[in-house]
Amino acid sequence: MAKKVAGWMIILVGIFILTLSAWYTFEATRFLSSTERAIGEVVDHKYTGGLNTGTREVGSYQTKVIEMYAPIVAFQTSTGTKVRFQANWSEGDPPPVGSSVPVRYPEQDPENARISGISSLFGGATILFLLGAI
């Protein structure tokens, strides 16, 4: 009986995670269809914390912290408004300052812009899909 209940719980959690993945995909697709394109420039990086990584060697455990940075991007809208925003993701090796990046932004609210990349728009949905499928 306990195995049956545990099995159903795992299935329900998987379905919930797959539903979240579908919702994230829908939101990213909706965002793409209702936004304008622009080319932005990375003007700075904001430190967002550290990511602890560890390695095991015989008889010891070593911890390494990778510093994570989110790009700060500036771009100009089609109406000429200049906008700066922080990317909604961070990494240990962000695009260098001065790099050009594609940007998508809502015309009525350009401060809610995002860097237009597959991983930044659909990365969360992909990770949730893989977790839910497993």
Side-chain angles (χ1 to χ4, degrees), residues 22-75:
W23 182 79
Y24 273 113
T25 301
F26 173 76
E27 285 297 314
T29 304
R30 187 180 59 80
F31 181 80
L32 283 173
S33 67
S34 66
T35 54
E36 302 289 323
R37 294 181 191 188
I39 299 295
E41 180 182 350
V42 177
V43 294
D44 200 2
H45 297 116
K46 180 179 180 186
Y47 178 72
T48 58
L51 176 66
N52 292 329
T53 62
T55 58
R56 286 199 182 270
E57 294 182 11
V58 177
S60 70
Y61 181 80
Q62 298 176 351
T63 300
K64 180 181 176 186
V65 176
I66 299 173
E67 294 182 338
M68 304 294 282
Y69 295 92
I72 306 292
V73 177
F75 71 98

